[in-house]
Amino acid sequence: RAKFIIMDRCFLSNLCYYFPIALDIPIFFKFLSIFEINMIPDVVFILDVKAEIGQIRDGMQKELKWLERTRQTYLHVPNSRVGNGMKVYIIDEDLSIENKKDIILRYIKGMRKL
């Protein structure tokens, strides 16, 4: 049976939040990876959230500009040097929770057949 771990966040969070340039510059990524848990996921599902909605969910604690930059960084992951080394799926924010769950479950069920 395939074993898997589901994490709320992975190493991409720190890159997208605080050091997005490391997605495309290998030396920065290598340096930052020294400080991270060396667990590179087989697949990453990015649940897209518009900056305005993210700000409301965050209780208006973060600036809209910062949230939008972070969102754009996450959306860039599949086309980045880092993203090219793994499967990255962006799940549209407009989908229902049920549809988002179904996308992830379909992937896991397909993985178990391996």
Side-chain angles (χ1 to χ4, degrees):
R1 260 197 308 212
K3 294 181 181 181
F4 52 90
I5 298 170
I6 298 175
M7 298 170 48
D8 180 39
R9 303 207 184 277
C10 67
F11 73 97
L12 286 175
S13 293
N14 284 340
L15 298 183
C16 292
Y17 287 161
Y18 306 112
F19 207 65
I21 197 170
L23 288 174
D24 288 307
I25 300 179
I27 190 118
F28 289 148
F29 176 71
K30 187 173 183 175
F31 175 75
L32 288 173
S33 67
I34 292 168
F35 302 103
E36 293 285 347
I37 297 170
N38 289 323
M39 185 184 294
I40 306 298
D42 294 324
V43 64
V44 174
F45 292 99
I46 295 175
L47 304 176
D48 185 21
V49 177
K50 292 179 182 75
E52 298 81 8
I53 293 171
Q55 191 179 45
I56 292 166
R57 290 179 185 167
D58 186 48
M60 308 299 272
Q61 294 181 30
K62 293 182 182 76
E63 290 183 24
L64 192 60
K65 185 177 177 181
W66 185 84
L67 289 167
E68 184 55 39
R69 187 206 68 179
T70 302
R71 177 181 183 233
Q72 291 307 316
T73 303
Y74 270 112
L75 295 177
H76 173 64
V77 167
N79 300 316
S80 71
R81 291 170 83 76
V82 170
N84 286 335
M86 66 184 75
K87 295 177 192 163
V88 180
Y89 300 100
I90 295 176
I91 299 179
D92 193 305
E93 181 186 48
D94 294 330
L95 294 175
S96 70
I97 296 291
E98 195 65 30
N99 286 343
K100 291 175 186 179
K101 178 193 79 169
D102 288 344
I103 289 169
I104 296 169
L105 283 177
R106 273 196 307 263
Y107 180 85
I108 291 171
K109 287 177 182 175
M111 194 174 93
R112 286 183 147 190
K113 293 177 185 176
L114 298 175

